[in-house]
Amino acid sequence: MLRAVNEPVNAPRSQPVDESPDERDAAPRPPQRLRSLVSWQAGKVSTIGARATARHMPLTARADFAVLAALEEFGALSQAELGRRLGLDRNDISGTVTRLDATGSVDRRADPGDRRRNLVTLTDAGAARLQEIQHAADQAQAELLTGLDQAERRALQALLAKLLDAHRPEPA
Amino acid sequence: MLRAVNEPVNAPRSQPVDESPDERDAAPRPPQRLRSLVSWQAGKVSTIGARATARHMPLTARADFAVLAALEEFGALSQAELGRRLGLDRNDISGTVTRLDATGSVDRRADPGDRRRNLVTLTDAGAARLQEIQHAADQAQAELLTGLDQAERRALQALLAKLLDAHRPEPA
DNA sequence: GATTAGCGTTGGCACGACCAACGTTGTGTG
DNA sequence: CACACAACGTTGGTCGTGCCAACGCTAATC
């Protein structure tokens, strides 16, 4: 049943090193106190995912992907609304949209009905770019999930989704 | 093969906004393409965890916690070894150990048997500090895990642990 | 004795999350 | 109508984190 992980945590030893010979070359384990912190685990998983991602695309493509995906799924949005959907600061959205606009992936223009807003629209080029990034992301995802079988992947994803649902109303 | 987890993903709608009235005030959902990326989910969980953590302690305490926990569990270590255990760069360990040494949480001295190394030892003050941080971390953890019952928490933790085990040999 | 490898340190870069301030524009209210 | 108020987009800055590069030192290897 996947071993409880939670266990005691209170087993500090004090020999300077020790290293029994059969784990000399094995991977050094992080301390139990960290291994039992979900927030630490999630952070590590995130950076491993980032490393895998970086092998398939420039890092900045991650922000692009988020914006493009939102536009594809919800249609044209203002930048503030993008921020709310994605859980990002509107400050940071600004830069990403600028980049996407410069490469023609997106069309940004003042909303005629409310000139405070910028209406951001997905272009055909943007849709194509979205597909590219999705492809790279799938590969990175596959690398990240090595070691988990189908059922475990689905379970993990479902649990993370449920956790996130419980926290959603905090955009930034 | 392997794109598992990700269901269709190809259901883009195109109405500019729509917003059915019963979710007008509800939390805006992130796009499906993101919700089906474990690496994105993990990132979000990580930052939500960081926010929760920040409510209970200074952010830098997280790095301190990692180092202190490793020293408590494995005894005195060199900085390079700390890096390997924690999956961190030895560059970054240096700064953390300096901070911990300055506050007396740790004793750093040249290893008499190999003067290239710094032997880092946990002090009593350090052990106390570790307990403090653990306490704060527990509270943050509880906030983060709101919305998951006991069994789900254990399952999530176990799945993350298994995923990490499959990637361990990459310190930096 | 010379080369190679490991260690700790400094300094730099990129990225993400966040906060503060400003000018602009729409929405109220008196 | 004039006014304060709120929302928007932008710029500029801070902090924490993950990386790479280089240096001087020490130990192991040949």
Side-chain angles (χ1 to χ4, degrees):
Chain A
M1 195 305 133
L2 229 13
R3 110 187 237 297
V5 175
N6 244 342
E7 294 319 270
V9 148
N10 289 348
R13 315 156 206 53
S14 289
Q15 289 89 349
V17 162
D18 192 11
E19 282 304 84
S20 70
D22 58 343
E23 18 177 283
R24 242 201 322 89
D25 272 85
R29 277 182 189 64
Q32 194 64 36
R33 290 188 124 105
L34 291 180
R35 288 181 62 87
S36 46
L37 268 191
V38 170
S39 85
W40 179 84
Q41 294 178 299
K44 280 301 178 195
V45 168
S46 174
T47 85
I48 292 175
R51 289 204 270 256
T53 298
R55 281 195 288 270
H56 296 282
M57 49 172 168
L59 272 185
T60 57
R62 295 186 300 172
D64 297 2
F65 184 66
V67 168
L68 296 173
L71 294 178
E72 186 216 32
E73 183 166 335
F74 305 119
L77 292 175
S78 76
Q79 299 182 186
E81 223 158 336
L82 273 168
R84 271 173 238 123
R85 297 271 183 187
L86 301 174
L88 299 177
D89 239 61
R90 66 185 211 271
N91 310 331
D92 303 318
I93 297 284
S94 186
T96 303
V97 169
T98 298
R99 185 172 54 235
L100 288 174
D101 187 31
T103 60
S105 299
V106 131
D107 180 80
R108 157 162 66 179
R109 63 186 54 200
D111 184 335
D114 182 344
R115 289 209 307 272
R116 289 174 301 182
R117 302 183 168 204
N118 284 346
L119 252 197
V120 184
T121 315
L122 188 65
T123 65
D124 290 353
R129 177 150 171 63
L130 175 59
Q131 288 298 351
E132 281 177 36
I133 306 181
Q134 177 75 63
H135 184 250
D138 286 342
Q139 295 178 254
Q141 186 82 339
E143 295 178 18
L144 175 63
L145 294 180
T146 299
L148 264 51
D149 63 36
Q150 281 318 73
E152 289 168 329
R153 293 175 191 205
R154 259 180 288 120
L156 175 57
Q157 199 178 327
L159 285 168
L160 290 171
K162 183 166 185 183
L163 208 178
L164 290 175
D165 279 348
H167 286 273
R168 202 131 24 68
E170 11 189 2
Chain B
M1 42 118 14
L2 213 19
R3 97 195 280 331
V5 178
N6 319 347
E7 286 312 272
V9 147
N10 290 348
R13 314 157 207 49
S14 288
Q15 289 89 349
V17 162
D18 190 14
E19 284 301 87
S20 71
D22 58 342
E23 19 176 281
R24 245 204 319 91
D25 271 84
R29 279 182 187 64
Q32 195 63 36
R33 291 190 124 104
L34 291 180
R35 287 181 65 85
S36 45
L37 270 189
V38 170
S39 84
W40 179 84
Q41 294 178 299
K44 280 300 178 194
V45 168
S46 174
T47 85
I48 291 175
R51 289 204 269 257
T53 299
R55 281 195 288 270
H56 296 281
M57 50 171 165
L59 273 185
T60 56
R62 295 187 298 171
D64 297 3
F65 183 65
V67 168
L68 296 173
L71 295 177
E72 186 217 33
E73 183 166 336
F74 305 119
L77 292 175
S78 75
Q79 299 182 186
E81 224 158 336
L82 273 169
R84 270 173 238 125
R85 297 271 182 188
L86 301 174
L88 299 176
D89 238 63
R90 67 187 213 269
N91 309 331
D92 304 318
I93 297 284
S94 186
T96 303
V97 169
T98 299
R99 185 173 54 235
L100 289 172
D101 187 32
T103 61
S105 299
V106 131
D107 181 78
R108 158 163 65 179
R109 64 186 55 199
D111 183 336
D114 180 345
R115 290 209 306 272
R116 291 173 300 182
R117 303 183 166 204
N118 283 346
L119 253 195
V120 183
T121 314
L122 188 66
T123 65
D124 290 352
R129 177 148 170 66
L130 175 58
Q131 289 297 350
E132 281 177 35
I133 305 182
Q134 176 76 61
H135 184 249
D138 287 343
Q139 295 178 252
Q141 185 82 339
E143 296 178 17
L144 176 63
L145 295 181
T146 299
L148 264 51
D149 63 37
Q150 234 30 27
E152 290 168 329
R153 295 178 190 204
R154 261 180 286 119
L156 175 58
Q157 201 175 327
L159 285 167
L160 289 171
K162 184 167 184 184
L163 208 178
L164 289 175
D165 279 347
H167 287 273
R168 203 132 22 68
E170 15 187 0

